[in-house]
Amino acid sequence: MNTDEVERLLGRILPTVQKPGRYTGGELNQIVKEWSTIPTRMALAFPDIYDLGMSNLGLAILYDILNRQSDVLAERVYLPWSDMEAAMRQANLPLYSLESKHPISEFDILGVSLPYETLYTNTLNLLDLSGIPLRGEERTGGHPLVIAGGHAALNPEPMAAFIDAFVIGEGEEVILEIVRTFKDWKTRQEPRGTLLESLAQIWGVYVPSLYEAHYLEDGTLSHIETRSEKAPVPVLKRIVPKLPPPLTRFIVPFIDVTHNRVPIEIMRGCTRGCRFCQAGMITRPVRQRPVAEILDAVEKALAHTGFEEVGLLSLSSSDYGPILELVRGVNERFAGRHLNVSLPSLRIETFSAELMESLKESSRRSGFTLAPEAATERMREIINKPVSTEQLLDTAREIFSRGWHTIKLYFMIGHPSETLEDVRAIADLCKAVLKEGRRIIGKRAQVNAGVSTFVPKPHTSFQWVPVDATDQIQAKQELLKKELRGPGLKLNWNKPEETLLEAWLSRGDRRMGEVILRAWQHGAKFDAWQEHFRYDLWMRAFDDVGLNPDFYTLRERPIDETLPWDHIDAAVKKQFLTEDYLWSLNGRTRIDCRERCFACGILPKYADLRRAHPGETWECPEVRSPRHKSHAKDHLPTPA
Ligand code: SF4
């Protein structure tokens, strides 16, 4: 179908659907290049609706990097909402790019962002709506190369059948190497298998079809075999040694999207070591951007977009070393410009009175979110988030006394060894915080408790532990519903079935791919949307395939079991995770490793990279011990 036909059909369909602004493109700062003169064309997809996808910083960065190349063009694609999908299917309108309205199947490469696992059925829907065969093995040289990246790719196995190549780790540099490799291959007109082998040799790229999984009789993984000598084992995650200057030319949507703001990443990685947190482990090492660079970027981004809010983003924004200097700098430089500043992830320990004073000038938010994650000090030691209840209450007092009236407290239930008493303590803690608020600002004080259920994630210290069974989760939630109510208190929770879905998908092996496919065929999509999620479809899919869902969730995995993601090296050593898990059983905690390095494995694996980029950008202390130096030689990344 040519672009004129796409436009003609859109003209008919758009007046009949909700929010047509999702489907038109044409926004400020979009980049449209001359299709016929550019040799390599890439579609960048977020497999959910525009409203969510437009706030994805990773794709915005890749869009900018690719479009800076004179011989590459990158365009965007999101999933249509149900009404638009029905209209498109009825009109036989394939999924198209927002910029030039070319069908996605005409692009050379389709890059899919997978920040979380509940996007998997949407990814199949995306391929189907594009007319691209779902399974990699069914694609020929005439189909786009389908690549994927994002945090969920750190266990790529459940999606192995559908994705040609995964980017493991950070995509900023690797994306250009993929495009160059593709371009060379296209020029040489070689078979598709040659392209896949060449891609596998790029540091940080995993090509699943070059690996085969073998299982033991009990259903656990025996080993992963490589089908080509060009396929490395393990595949070490890619990192950028120094964060490049932040993106400033953001596309400005016509409609309201999830975050209408300039997102500036101030720091990447986390050194805290919370044992449940996958993002904290897989994004190490910590790298900070200089204050001056961030301030300049805010200035430019405001000029380019006209946004009135800036988000200073990181996994833990108050851990950014010069955070006070940064917030004060923003206040000074943008005084009188009505700029609203948000620091979305604040830690209780680094949330100082000075920071609050500074934020008061530039934050128009009515509340703050704090994440103690557990309510008893015993539990917080087990999960390695050792803040004291007194620290939390102090912080709450500071917040209320400075004029804010809502505090959102974020908890998880289902941590290893949790009892009903630990759960009841969540209600007690929320009430204690509310009491402080009432004392300071009276009845305006409000405490909202968000209680999710813990899913043990790959590459974390808790990767071996089971998920709570449905009846355990229900009992804990019932207790909270009974205890945590009354004026000024609000409780939010997830359905246990949503937790189980996340657990199957994130902890699954290659066989889960068949379950995902069946679930999608039965109608599963938009699984991350409560109103769309259908547990029964997933149960039918497990039944069809003959797999037991409990195998992936309720089972405690022995320390020596081969895990489905063991051949993916997130750079933190399995030995470190094992030791840390054993420490948790004894309630032993680790301090922020910027104060004391625990030799998690990062430094020896990237020793050469760091030597090539000396300076202050990494927060890990220098390695001095001779033992580390000799070890480094064995772990050099595969050259790009
Ligand atoms: S190498 Fe040391 S300082 Fe760096 S992330 Fe690992 S434990 Fe922390």
Side-chain angles (χ1 to χ4, degrees):
M1 185 173 284
N2 64 37
T3 54
D4 287 343
E5 281 173 80
V6 172
E7 298 266 17
R8 187 180 55 77
L9 285 173
L10 276 177
R12 255 185 29 216
I13 293 174
L14 288 185
T16 69
V17 299
Q18 293 173 39
K19 296 198 189 178
R22 287 169 174 159
Y23 311 111
T24 57
E27 311 94 321
L28 179 67
N29 294 333
Q30 76 160 11
I31 299 167
V32 190
K33 291 188 173 177
E34 179 50 49
W35 180 274
S36 57
T37 60
I38 306 281
T40 312
R41 300 139 183 168
M42 181 158 175
L44 293 173
F46 187 84
D48 206 309
I49 56 172
Y50 176 91
D51 320 31
L52 285 176
M54 279 297 285
S55 302
N56 183 281
L57 180 58
L59 275 191
I61 292 172
L62 297 181
Y63 184 83
D64 179 66
I65 291 175
L66 290 165
N67 279 320
R68 278 174 195 272
Q69 314 299 309
S70 57
D71 56 348
V72 184
L73 68 75
E75 303 192 354
R76 293 162 297 146
V77 58
Y78 305 100
L79 267 191
W81 190 238
S82 322
D83 58 342
M84 179 68 172
E85 180 184 336
M88 287 174 73
R89 286 192 186 274
Q90 204 186 354
N92 280 325
L93 174 62
L95 210 54
Y96 59 89
S97 66
L98 290 181
E99 280 77 3
S100 70
K101 311 289 183 296
H102 274 90
I104 300 307
S105 58
E106 290 178 14
F107 282 78
D108 294 303
I109 306 174
L110 168 63
V112 185
S113 170
L114 291 177
Y116 41 90
E117 299 83 2
T118 37
L119 295 176
Y120 289 169
T121 53
N122 279 8
T123 303
L124 300 192
N125 213 29
L126 178 97
L127 292 169
D128 184 61
L129 281 167
S130 307
I132 299 170
L134 300 190
R135 292 181 194 272
E137 64 188 20
E138 289 165 11
R139 291 177 206 135
T140 65
H143 292 116
L145 172 77
V146 180
I147 62 175
H151 286 186
L154 270 289
N155 176 17
E157 292 305 274
M159 289 295 279
F162 317 114
I163 304 292
D164 297 318
F166 289 91
V167 170
I168 309 295
E170 296 166 1
E172 279 104 330
E173 292 169 353
V174 83
I175 193 72
L176 293 179
E177 289 167 31
I178 290 176
V179 167
R180 299 278 164 254
T181 305
F182 183 91
K183 195 176 163 204
D184 290 350
W185 166 80
K186 202 168 148 186
T187 317
R188 291 196 307 267
Q189 298 196 324
E190 285 170 346
R192 194 173 165 91
T194 318
L195 170 65
L196 296 179
E197 286 198 330
S198 308
L199 290 173
Q201 293 196 283
I202 301 175
W203 167 30
V205 175
Y206 172 61
V207 177
S209 56
L210 302 183
Y211 300 78
E212 193 175 346
H214 296 275
Y215 300 91
L216 297 169
E217 262 179 28
D218 63 4
T220 58
L221 198 64
S222 146
H223 64 284
I224 294 275
E225 185 189 359
T226 52
R227 286 181 178 162
S228 158
E229 59 188 24
K230 301 216 168 123
V233 176
V235 178
L236 179 64
K237 85 167 175 191
R238 186 73 177 258
I239 60 166
V240 289
K242 181 175 183 301
L243 299 185
L247 176 62
T248 58
R249 200 174 279 276
F250 293 94
I251 297 174
V252 185
F254 290 128
I255 60 166
D256 258 355
V257 295
T258 319
H259 295 299
N260 291 296
R261 67 180 182 204
V262 167
I264 304 280
E265 187 187 24
I266 58 175
M267 177 172 89
R268 197 174 291 177
C270 181
T271 41
R272 292 288 183 170
C274 299
R275 292 180 173 125
F276 55 84
C277 180
Q278 187 191 44
M281 285 295 167
I282 63 177
T283 57
R284 288 177 178 209
V286 165
R287 286 143 291 163
Q288 297 191 157
R289 283 195 163 111
V291 171
E293 190 177 293
I294 296 169
L295 291 175
D296 284 349
V298 174
E299 180 91 59
K300 282 190 198 144
L302 294 179
H304 288 150
T305 63
F307 280 124
E308 293 168 337
E309 179 175 334
V310 58
L312 301 175
L313 310 184
S314 108
L315 288 173
S316 170
S317 294
S318 52
D319 279 345
Y320 174 69
I323 186 66
L324 260 176
E325 193 192 327
L326 176 62
V327 176
R328 284 178 184 153
V330 171
N331 289 344
E332 256 167 49
R333 190 134 155 199
F334 304 100
R337 287 171 60 176
H338 306 291
L339 181 66
N340 187 22
V341 178
S342 62
L343 280 186
S345 348
L346 299 166
R347 279 189 76 99
I348 293 157
E349 314 89 303
T350 40
F351 194 60
S352 62
E354 292 100 309
L355 178 58
M356 243 173 291
E357 273 308 314
S358 304
L359 276 174
K360 230 169 98 176
E361 286 184 38
S362 50
S363 175
R364 287 197 289 275
R365 289 154 29 145
S366 59
F368 273 102
T369 303
L370 299 173
E373 312 287 356
T376 56
E377 289 183 14
R378 179 188 84 88
M379 258 348 292
R380 290 198 288 261
E381 275 159 15
I382 288 175
I383 64 176
N384 201 42
K385 202 163 186 188
V387 257
S388 71
T389 301
E390 212 29 61
Q391 260 177 318
L392 174 68
L393 292 176
D394 277 348
T395 307
R397 278 190 284 269
E398 296 280 2
I399 293 173
F400 285 126
S401 57
R402 278 175 170 76
W404 284 287
H405 49 82
T406 305
I407 295 187
K408 182 169 181 199
L409 293 177
Y410 185 76
F411 296 96
M412 264 187 228
I413 53 170
H415 291 303
S417 90
E418 182 184 61
T419 65
L420 282 179
E421 279 319 299
D422 295 309
V423 176
R424 193 188 309 274
I426 294 177
D428 296 341
L429 187 57
C430 291
K431 286 176 187 164
V433 171
L434 182 67
K435 196 168 155 203
E436 292 301 325
R438 291 262 150 121
R439 207 171 45 75
I440 297 166
I441 57 163
K443 286 195 174 154
R444 284 184 305 139
Q446 170 82 33
V447 173
N448 298 341
V451 182
S452 62
T453 304
F454 166 64
V455 172
K457 290 280 179 125
H459 307 288
T460 67
S461 311
F462 283 159
Q463 62 182 349
W464 296 274
V465 309
V467 184
D468 265 359
T470 311
D471 55 346
Q472 284 172 293
I473 303 174
Q474 276 162 344
K476 291 174 182 178
Q477 290 182 339
E478 286 310 316
L479 178 67
L480 284 174
K481 284 185 224 168
K482 191 164 102 248
E483 299 281 329
L484 215 167
R485 61 176 170 201
L489 289 169
K490 205 169 136 201
L491 170 68
N492 286 310
W493 68 93
N494 292 92
K495 287 191 192 148
E497 293 80 9
E498 292 164 6
T499 301
L500 294 177
L501 174 71
E502 191 189 333
W504 301 322
L505 297 180
S506 56
R507 297 154 64 80
D509 49 40
R510 236 169 227 224
R511 296 168 302 183
M512 270 302 297
E514 221 36 52
V515 179
I516 296 167
L517 179 64
R518 293 297 180 109
W520 172 75
Q521 285 166 340
H522 291 318
K525 63 183 170 190
F526 290 122
D527 292 298
W529 294 74
Q530 272 190 358
E531 68 268 39
H532 272 274
F533 172 52
R534 294 259 320 266
Y535 184 69
D536 57 320
L537 302 181
W538 285 92
M539 287 294 101
R540 262 171 74 193
F542 270 109
D543 242 20
D544 293 346
V545 176
L547 277 180
N548 178 0
D550 295 348
F551 175 81
Y552 295 101
T553 47
L554 300 186
R555 202 168 56 85
E556 166 138 22
R557 301 182 189 204
I559 292 281
D560 58 356
E561 180 174 323
T562 305
L563 301 171
W565 49 89
D566 273 354
H567 57 301
I568 304 297
D569 187 353
V572 172
K573 289 179 295 187
K574 195 172 181 185
Q575 186 196 334
F576 169 84
L577 295 176
T578 312
E579 182 189 277
D580 198 49
Y581 173 42
L582 298 175
W583 276 33
S584 81
L585 300 177
N586 299 319
R588 280 181 76 184
T589 56
R590 290 184 197 265
I591 51 172
D592 185 325
C593 61
R594 279 184 283 194
E595 288 169 43
R596 182 192 148 196
C597 175
F598 291 101
C600 73
I602 291 285
L603 289 176
K605 283 181 191 166
Y606 302 114
D608 272 13
L609 202 62
R610 195 174 191 210
R611 262 197 295 278
H613 297 270
E616 300 296 313
T617 51
W618 289 30
E619 293 299 300
C620 304
E622 289 292 334
V623 180
R624 290 203 175 80
S625 100
R627 186 175 65 83
H628 281 152
K629 281 187 180 155
S630 63
H631 197 63
K633 290 197 206 84
D634 310 330
H635 293 278
L636 291 180
T638 320

